[in-house]
Amino acid sequence: MPNATRPRGPSTAAPAPPAAAAPAPRRASGGPRSALLAALITVLAVCGGDAVARVFPFGPRHRAVNDLANQFVPFHAHLWDLLHGRADGGLLLDWQAGWGTSFLPDYGTYLSSPFAPLVALLPRGDVEYAVYAITVLKTAVAAAAMTHLLRRTGPGRWWWASALGASYALCGWSLAEGTYNPMWLDGLIAFPLLCLVGEWVRQGVRPVLGPLAVAVCWVANFYTAYMATIGAALVLAVRLTAEHAPAGTAPARTTERGTAAAGAAAADAGPPGQAAPAGAAPAASADGGRRPAARGAVRVLLRAGLTTGTGIALAAPVLVPVFLGSRHAHPGLVKEFDPAPATDVLARLLPVTYSFATPAAFVSTAVLLLVAALPFRREIPGRRRWAWAGLCPAVAASLQWGPTHLVWHAFATPNGSPYRQTFVLAGVFVLAAWTGLAHGPPGRRALLGGVAVVSALSLGALPSPFLTPWALALTAAGLAATAGALLLTRRGRHGALAALLVVGTVVGQAAATTAYADRERLARLDDYPPWGDGQRRRAAALAEADGWPAHRTDPGLPRVAGNDPLLLGGQGAAYYSSHTPAVLTELMTALGGGWTSRGRNLLSLDNPVTDALFGVGARWRAGEVVRADPSAPPLPLVTVRPPGPGPAYGPSPFRNQELLLGARVYEAPRAGGACRVGTEVFLWAPDATGTAGLGRYETELLGGRPKRRAALTSLGVQERAEARPRIPRGGTAEVRCLDRDRLRAAVAALRGRAATGVEVRSDGLTATLPPGATGTAVVAAPRIAGWRCEGRPARAYGGLLAVGIRPGATAVRCAFHPPGLRAGLTAGAAGTLLLALSWRLGTGSRRRAGSRAGGRLEGPAGGPAEDRAQGPAGSRTEGQAGSRAEGRAEGTAGSRAEGRT
């Protein structure tokens, strides 16, 4: 066989015929240069595209769009505060946003990436620079990880591995969606890592490192790691089907000097002189090998399931609280999946296209051409060729079919982009392209077939409105450059020119796509003010006024983003997360709060009654910090209410505020619709959009349920008896007049029964009660799941945290543990035990295998013995588990020729 391991004794195998015209492929370099080149290509393309678009940090256009501004930058700013000891709260409980919310689910969703702590290396004012640097770094690491995976799965020129690895990291999904959702980029890294774990499982090696890698991927971002796990499972299934590797047999690693003689079967070896990819094992005879191969595949799948399960169990202390945090969250939009038109899907395969609701399936034309040429390459064994050629369209079709769409997205259609799994398709494309290159560059016939397929796909995309002239021009240029590089490579000449053509195609198309996506995002998505001097002055003023826990300081309005308390400082009602508690949204809604994103993005509520109830002693308003009247200081965090049930809210937020306060402070307008002179006029018009005003005062409302809800707002003090409020059209409206004297009296009454001291912690609080206190202690924080007071589940008082006061009690103590934390810790402990048991059993197995091998085999003089396992057809393979010679495999004459090519 042309790529079989050289036997020591006589062999019935026919001598290898002369090599084919195309030079045999060589294994990628054993050093790090291929991974480093892939990372360099990625950084060059991303930063180059941003520079062309003149986007931050290379120009005046900002990146503060959508969830990048609303969630990722504020959460990373809060992580900076946590790491520097400046946050109000800790890993379990956040006292700053949403009047006090669970933080561990947010940490597990937005900040658990191993790269996130790097934000602490820059000053807090440069948090946007830090997030951008982390985004670019993640993309570069994804390129390096894919390059390493390619090197481990087959032979090929090292620079081709770099180009394909960079093409994966620079796919359309990464450039169009991942760049402003940086938490998803951990999934871009996870896919090649999990595929590498699959290779370890096939080979029966690294029983400890495999589960640890799975755990890191799932902790970094569980959502995209789930998708990457599905993709890795599909890749493992194809590898088992196409490569015939018996379970527990580790293919020998090779270097650029010589390819491992893995030994493909005669039916799987291709034409004479064509090397089989590393990792291919000897095929068994039709009669004797089919059942052992099936049993070996089953064992591999069982090991893969155990490895994945153990890794997920290790990640459970973060995953379970995240899962239950989603269960307690305010429900988002529930909608049916609507697949994109076929022409739009084809258009998104090309560079320089953009759309929010279609799959960003672009991967460089070099990859597309190699995949398109794969079915035409008869020198590749049929099973391997058609397995990979079939996987690509199968994964693409699964993006468009409703049932598989639900499987990809954990059985829930997402509120935003419905194609968040597209990076897996890009990875499958790259692996299929490398599979073809492992058999050398395609011949002219296959190359013409690939060009015809890519041209047909481009023609099919012509009716799409997303297709641009640049897309067609760059696709044509990429086809010509890649085809030329492949022809040069096949002839074995001008290698530097071929590499330059391929790398230039990857960088040029990715940079152009990046620049185009940057411009389109700013035009199509919500954008917010970037961090600048105004935000710095506002943050400094809030920090100066901060008095927590004696009083809250609300960052107020106008808002900068969806999590201003985390970004600017202070403690307020504003909060935006995938885990916004339903209890908090319902409480805010009942009290007249406003929100966007269908109730998950809560806005600051600027109202004197709620400021009194929640102890807001200072807030940002009209460009400055406004402090509470010294004659009416804010209430402490804990007050004492009379015995009895809490208030039952109705449809009017004015009445609900009075019920929670325990006093009447609003009055209805007089005849003609005007309030009494001297009272403050408040308008509640949740569905109105437009300008509301009273006299010379005006304010903007942005309502319209179910997507948005306008907050209850002040129209100023009634100065003239005949002045009536101006109300924009849209839904119902209610006007009430606040009597400040009544409010001061009600607050004074509550202050007389309030706690005399409050100590807040990162996992709870302790309040000292006034002598003889009876009734119910009410904490000005939402009663979210996870609170326990005095050793039992906490009560709710109008949506607030409450605990009944026992006779003679002088203090109340409440502790917070996110739901699922204990269960997650238990599962993590079980995963640790499984990991330890796996390590113990693996160590014993390797020792026994080594002792048996030492008794049977004689090693080369002066060096350790090499394991050689007898194959089912009489051939021998290298790289058994326990082999010390992995990476120093002996090659045949054909593999030596590969190392010299």
Side-chain angles (χ1 to χ4, degrees):
M1 281 180 287
N3 199 32
T5 302
R6 182 174 54 198
R8 291 185 179 271
S11 173
T12 58
R26 61 180 176 180
R27 189 78 170 195
S29 169
R33 62 175 176 174
S34 55
L36 290 176
L37 177 60
L40 179 62
I41 292 171
T42 301
V43 173
L44 179 64
V46 172
C47 295
D50 289 337
V52 170
R54 304 186 67 201
V55 168
F56 175 91
F58 303 102
R61 295 186 176 92
H62 63 84
R63 300 178 69 240
V65 299
N66 206 274
D67 289 346
L68 179 63
N70 272 324
Q71 294 179 320
F72 304 117
V73 170
F75 275 117
H76 279 81
H78 186 64
L79 179 63
W80 192 99
D81 291 335
L82 279 173
L83 295 175
H84 287 268
R86 290 174 44 178
D88 296 328
L91 188 62
L92 303 183
L93 182 63
D94 170 28
W95 284 109
Q96 292 186 245
W99 285 327
T101 59
S102 177
F103 184 67
L104 186 57
D106 286 334
Y107 173 82
T109 301
Y110 303 104
L111 298 172
S112 53
S113 168
F115 300 92
L118 296 176
V119 72
L121 300 179
L122 294 181
R124 193 185 191 280
D126 293 332
V127 62
E128 285 190 303
Y129 287 95
V131 171
Y132 180 80
I134 290 173
T135 300
V136 176
L137 178 61
K138 285 184 180 183
T139 312
V141 170
M146 177 58 79
T147 302
H148 179 71
L149 173 66
L150 297 179
R151 291 175 49 229
R152 293 300 300 266
T153 55
R157 294 179 180 270
W158 70 272
W159 57 264
W160 262 116
S162 302
L164 295 186
S167 297
Y168 166 73
L170 296 170
C171 66
W173 178 91
S174 170
L175 302 178
E177 296 189 25
T179 187
Y180 71 95
N181 292 281
M183 67 176 185
W184 291 352
L185 292 176
D186 290 284
L188 194 70
I189 302 171
F191 176 71
L193 288 184
L194 293 175
C195 289
L196 185 62
V197 171
E199 291 299 301
W200 296 341
V201 168
R202 286 181 66 231
Q203 301 164 13
V205 298
R206 293 173 176 78
V208 174
L209 187 57
L212 290 177
V214 173
V216 170
C217 291
W218 276 74
V219 167
N221 185 252
F222 74 97
Y223 189 49
T224 50
Y226 164 80
M227 300 171 183
T229 302
I230 296 176
L234 295 174
V235 170
L236 177 60
V238 168
R239 295 280 289 170
L240 289 174
T241 301
E243 308 298 343
H244 303 292
T249 301
R253 293 171 57 190
T254 57
T255 66
E256 196 170 356
R257 294 184 178 180
T259 304
D268 210 31
Q274 178 61 59
S285 64
D287 295 332
R290 191 169 298 171
R291 290 182 181 177
R295 287 196 296 267
V298 170
R299 286 195 296 269
V300 169
L301 293 177
L302 290 176
R303 282 203 305 269
L306 180 61
T307 299
T308 304
T310 303
I312 293 175
L314 292 172
V318 173
L319 297 182
V320 178
V322 168
F323 173 74
L324 292 182
S326 299
R327 293 282 299 272
H328 292 105
H330 182 73
L333 174 65
V334 178
K335 62 180 182 180
E336 295 293 330
F337 171 64
D338 184 19
T343 55
D344 293 345
V345 175
L346 294 178
R348 297 308 308 280
L349 284 169
L350 308 181
V352 196
T353 62
Y354 184 86
S355 168
F356 183 76
T358 56
F362 159 71
V363 63
S364 77
T365 305
V367 174
L368 207 58
L369 177 58
L370 288 170
V371 174
L374 188 59
F376 301 97
R377 302 192 60 183
R378 295 183 179 179
E379 74 274 17
I380 300 178
R383 179 175 295 188
R384 182 178 300 122
R385 172 167 36 114
W386 290 113
W388 283 104
L391 181 63
C392 295
V395 173
S398 72
L399 272 61
Q400 289 284 90
W401 189 37
T404 49
H405 160 84
L406 291 175
V407 172
W408 279 113
H409 293 93
F411 303 96
T413 297
N415 291 331
S417 169
Y419 294 99
R420 302 179 180 185
Q421 77 280 39
T422 311
F423 70 96
V424 176
L425 177 63
V428 169
F429 278 159
V430 168
L431 286 169
W434 183 254
T435 299
L437 280 178
H439 294 265
R444 292 185 179 181
R445 186 184 64 87
L447 198 58
L448 287 174
V451 170
V453 170
V454 176
S455 301
L457 294 175
S458 303
L459 291 175
L462 289 178
S464 173
F466 305 124
L467 191 66
T468 63
W470 276 106
L472 295 174
L474 288 175
T475 299
L479 274 177
T482 305
L486 289 170
L487 290 175
L488 290 174
T489 303
R490 185 171 180 82
R491 293 174 181 175
R493 62 179 70 175
H494 304 297
L497 177 59
L500 185 62
L501 288 172
V502 174
V503 172
T505 297
V506 174
V507 172
Q509 291 184 342
T513 303
T514 299
Y516 185 73
D518 286 343
R519 299 278 185 95
E520 291 297 306
R521 270 196 305 272
L522 282 174
R524 301 188 188 194
L525 301 182
D526 296 337
D527 65 310
Y528 301 86
W531 185 266
D533 292 338
Q535 284 73 30
R536 291 188 183 91
R537 288 192 297 269
R538 185 168 171 179
L542 292 170
E544 183 181 356
D546 194 288
W548 177 258
H551 68 81
R552 284 185 166 107
T553 302
D554 196 309
L557 298 171
R559 69 171 182 167
V560 175
N563 283 290
D564 281 354
L566 304 181
L567 181 65
L568 300 172
Q571 310 82 27
Y575 179 52
Y576 179 33
S577 168
S578 298
H579 304 287
T580 302
V583 170
L584 176 59
T585 301
E586 292 166 2
L587 174 62
M588 288 286 294
T589 300
L591 299 179
W595 38 255
T596 62
S597 300
R598 302 180 183 273
R600 290 191 173 183
N601 190 348
L602 304 177
L603 310 179
S604 175
L605 179 55
D606 189 352
N607 177 268
V609 178
T610 53
D611 279 358
L613 288 169
F614 288 93
V616 177
R619 69 163 47 250
W620 182 268
R621 182 189 297 139
E624 62 180 354
V625 171
V626 178
R627 299 176 183 265
D629 188 347
S631 63
L635 288 171
L637 192 62
V638 180
T639 57
V640 178
R641 308 301 177 95
Y649 293 139
S652 171
F654 299 106
R655 182 56 184 151
N656 294 338
Q657 290 182 7
E658 292 175 333
L659 290 172
L660 193 56
L661 183 66
R664 289 274 190 174
V665 294
Y666 289 105
E667 60 186 44
R670 299 188 174 184
C675 288
R676 177 167 55 89
V677 174
T679 60
E680 188 172 358
V681 181
F682 281 87
L683 169 66
W684 181 60
D687 296 314
T689 297
T691 303
L694 178 68
R696 291 176 295 178
Y697 180 84
E698 291 185 344
T699 186
E700 293 295 324
L701 301 181
L702 183 61
R705 290 173 289 183
K707 186 176 181 180
R708 298 182 300 269
R709 189 178 194 268
L712 184 151
T713 186
S714 172
L715 298 182
V717 176
Q718 186 81 31
E719 297 176 349
R720 296 182 294 112
E722 68 277 6
R724 298 174 56 185
R726 300 182 298 276
I727 304 172
R729 296 180 179 179
T732 60
E734 184 178 0
V735 176
R736 287 294 183 268
C737 318
L738 176 64
D739 188 323
R740 289 273 188 168
D741 293 333
R742 294 183 189 177
L743 177 60
R744 278 191 286 267
V747 170
L750 282 176
R751 186 178 300 108
R753 301 191 301 270
T756 57
V758 179
E759 176 192 356
V760 295
R761 304 183 303 275
S762 60
D763 63 347
L765 61 89
T766 300
T768 303
L769 301 176
T774 59
T776 302
V778 178
V779 182
R783 199 290 186 207
I784 58 177
W787 278 107
R788 293 180 66 87
C789 295
E790 300 299 329
R792 58 183 185 273
R795 292 170 47 190
Y797 185 91
L800 300 182
L801 175 64
V803 55
I805 301 175
R806 295 174 179 176
T810 59
V812 292
R813 299 170 182 82
C814 295
F816 180 79
H817 288 88
L821 179 59
R822 292 183 178 87
L825 291 173
T826 302
T832 304
L833 290 176
L834 281 174
L835 190 66
L837 180 62
S838 175
W839 174 79
R840 181 70 176 176
L841 293 176
T843 301
S845 176
R846 285 191 295 273
R847 287 176 179 173
R848 288 191 297 271
S851 63
R852 287 196 300 267
R856 292 196 308 267
L857 301 177
E858 178 182 355
E866 296 182 8
D867 265 351
R868 292 181 176 86
Q870 183 70 31
S875 62
R876 298 179 181 269
T877 60
E878 299 177 0
Q880 294 279 17
S883 172
R884 299 180 183 176
E886 180 180 1
R888 301 192 302 272
E890 179 184 9
T892 61
S895 49
R896 293 195 191 100
E898 291 174 15
R900 293 193 298 267
T901 302

